[in-house]
Amino acid sequence: MNTGRTDALWTRDAVSLAALIAEGVVTATRVVEAHLERIEQVDSEIGALTTIFAESARAEAAAADRGAPIGPLHGVPVTVKNNLDVAGSPTTWGVPGFGQAVATADAPAVAALRRAGAIVIGRTNMPDFATRWHTDNDAAGPTVNPWYPTRSPGGSSGGDAAAVATGMTPLGLGTDFGGSLRIPAAFCGVASLRTTPGRVAVASSLPGAAPAPTNQLFAAPGPLARTVRDLTIVYEALRESDDPRDPAWIPVPDTIDATPPAVAVTLGDDIDPQVRAAVLGCADALERAGYPVAQLDPPDLGEVAADYGRLVSTEVAVQRREAMRRLGSAGLNTFLDAAIELFPPLDLAGYMTALGERLTRRAAWSRFLAEHPIVLGPVSTELPWPVGYDLGGVAQVATMYAAHRLTIAANYLALPAVTVPAGISAEGLPIGVQLITAPFTERRALTAAAHIEAAFPMPTPISPALRPNPGPTAAREY
């Protein structure tokens, strides 16, 4: 056996691991064991995982080794966020009171990854009710940003992002309702794909009220990984997530571009200079790859972020506020109080008007994307926030909404987006950018993201608190 190809298996990406297993160079058992050992080594410092399926993962790996490969992720470990069902495990949403909410069946996305051969090795941490841009709760405590412990790992898929960044898993599966995949990916230096709502089936085996209308319209699951090619292989598996429990699943073919499409670069107001340089460096990389690039803002960004805030605030106040106050953490309620003060709930007429206005916003963006099929911009116009920043009151929450307005826009408009690392700040903090495209054109965003990844490779996986020396960031005006 060529040990040079199997040393430190936890450093390998999913595609490499699947190839090693398929070629018989290494067993699925050894791959799973390497990641369980890595979890034992570093998770006590990070707090990314809440449940480890060591026994079942070993059994599944042994079964995988006895049979022929069943899919492109045969024997590859994956972690799953605590708001997606894993059969036999509680879907806690980070809430202690949901500790007995044991799922009887996998979520469609989890089932799709299993059909592709993946092995679920653990559940990951998230803010309670998936409602903060920081990962902390009363059930499991905080997740630490492995690059910089005093900065947030983001939320709500912060556990998966930190686990992927530190080699505890090559793949994470999360969700994105208001940047919940993209913000943790950017803050932890990994890549993510927010799929188009309807692209991947969504359902739960647990009883309860149906999700609020904005959740049905804005949210989508997707993967986190250290490479764009890993996002791509998981995306192909997730497309096969057909499940009769989800009538909104849409089997739409993707778009393959014959030539690189035009890119609109948007920077936003009051952007951190290092984030600005990173975005422009990525624009330069795309131009070198043959993409026509122009600096141009898409329509109504500020209005879109405000509309999102008002709609979500209204639904929280009407449907969930009392349950959140009773079952949620102090941090969750502090954040929610500020968010609701920032965006006072609408009356019924105002809610209906705001929901109807969404069509006008979507139509404007549809016209814009017809001329500029890719929008490149920051995930956040600021570097990762200090831990506790979102608990500082209305002014801080307003600053966060403004910094995340492009990210929020993709949710409100039901658009797919890929986040990819774009460098490291002088302080040693990751910087991520995103590529937003029209509905059901995930491949377009993934293809462009691969060019950025090649131009700005990241040294992940990292050990906790490792702070690599930043390299030069190319910047250019348009």
Side-chain angles (χ1 to χ4, degrees):
M1 182 176 289
N2 183 352
T3 57
R5 298 180 65 193
T6 60
D7 288 345
L9 288 168
W10 58 269
T11 67
R12 299 276 185 167
D13 68 4
V15 171
S16 296
L17 291 170
L20 290 172
I21 294 168
E23 294 166 9
V25 176
V26 69
T27 62
T29 296
R30 187 170 175 187
V31 169
V32 165
E33 204 61 48
H35 287 87
L36 291 174
E37 290 172 2
R38 181 63 175 169
I39 291 168
E40 185 176 3
Q41 290 168 358
V42 304
D43 196 42
S44 60
E45 300 178 54
I46 298 299
L49 278 83
T50 60
T51 306
I52 303 169
F53 301 125
E55 183 176 343
S56 62
R58 288 177 176 128
E60 291 175 32
D65 290 332
R66 291 193 296 269
I70 64 171
L73 295 172
H74 186 79
V76 176
V78 62
T79 55
V80 178
K81 187 178 177 181
N82 261 318
N83 65 343
L84 292 166
D85 287 355
V86 175
S89 171
T91 303
T92 69
W93 286 78
V95 179
F98 297 165
Q100 302 304 312
V102 177
T104 59
D106 287 334
V110 175
L113 293 185
R114 289 197 199 272
R115 288 194 298 271
I119 296 173
V120 178
I121 61 169
R123 306 299 302 268
T124 49
N125 203 22
M126 59 183 286
D128 38 342
F129 292 98
T131 306
R132 287 174 65 187
W133 285 311
H134 175 66
T135 298
D136 193 3
N137 58 63
D138 287 346
T143 295
V144 175
N145 188 319
W147 293 81
Y148 215 110
T150 60
R151 298 296 180 108
S152 174
S156 60
S157 305
D160 278 294
V164 170
T166 52
M168 289 186 268
T169 179
L171 299 173
L173 182 65
T175 57
D176 193 314
F177 172 63
S180 290
L181 283 165
R182 289 163 290 156
I183 292 169
F187 285 9
C188 291
V190 299
S192 72
L193 167 64
R194 167 189 152 80
T195 56
T196 307
R199 169 69 82 186
V200 181
V202 177
S204 174
S205 61
L206 295 166
T214 58
N215 190 280
Q216 296 183 41
L217 294 170
F218 300 169
L224 299 101
R226 292 189 296 272
T227 65
V228 172
R229 71 174 184 171
D230 277 4
L231 294 182
T232 303
I233 198 169
V234 175
Y235 164 64
E236 293 298 334
L238 292 177
R239 291 178 62 180
E240 305 302 319
S241 63
D242 182 17
D243 191 304
R245 294 177 293 172
D246 185 2
W249 180 73
I250 308 173
V252 181
D254 207 333
T255 299
I256 304 297
D257 294 310
T259 58
V263 177
V265 181
T266 182
L267 297 168
D269 300 326
D270 300 320
I271 186 170
D272 181 275
Q274 294 183 85
V275 177
R276 185 178 191 276
V279 174
L280 293 177
C282 293
D284 198 39
L286 289 179
E287 189 172 55
R288 291 195 301 270
Y291 288 79
V293 174
Q295 189 169 319
L296 187 65
D297 288 334
D300 303 328
L301 272 179
E303 292 84 351
V304 164
D307 285 351
Y308 173 97
R310 284 189 285 265
L311 287 168
V312 172
S313 179
T314 301
E315 291 182 350
V316 167
V318 171
Q319 292 186 303
R320 291 171 286 164
R321 187 69 190 98
E322 290 311 310
M324 289 175 156
R325 195 178 301 281
R326 178 168 45 90
L327 298 172
S329 64
L332 167 69
N333 284 292
T334 297
F335 173 78
L336 273 179
D337 285 344
I340 289 173
E341 184 176 346
L342 177 65
F343 296 109
L346 302 166
D347 60 15
L348 178 59
Y351 176 82
M352 295 298 292
T353 299
L355 200 58
E357 181 65 18
R358 180 171 174 266
L359 177 62
T360 303
R361 309 283 191 215
R362 294 189 77 197
W365 269 71
S366 182
R367 293 190 295 270
F368 184 86
L369 288 170
E371 297 294 328
H372 304 87
I374 297 175
V375 174
L376 167 67
V379 174
S380 173
T381 59
E382 300 290 337
L383 296 171
W385 310 97
V387 172
Y389 184 87
D390 65 328
L391 306 181
V394 176
Q396 282 87 334
V397 173
T399 298
M400 297 178 85
Y401 261 90
H404 299 157
R405 66 178 189 166
L406 180 63
T407 296
I408 291 168
N411 294 96
Y412 174 91
L413 300 161
L415 301 175
V418 172
T419 294
V420 64
I424 304 167
S425 76
E427 301 92 333
L429 293 161
I431 300 173
V433 301
Q434 62 183 319
L435 301 108
I436 300 172
T437 55
F440 302 104
T441 60
E442 288 89 346
R443 274 278 186 177
R444 175 176 290 155
L446 288 163
T447 300
H451 293 292
I452 293 173
E453 178 181 65
F456 302 100
M458 290 290 278
T460 50
I462 62 168
S463 293
L466 180 66
R467 303 180 188 183
N469 291 324
T473 301
R476 181 174 172 183
E477 297 284 353
Y478 293 91

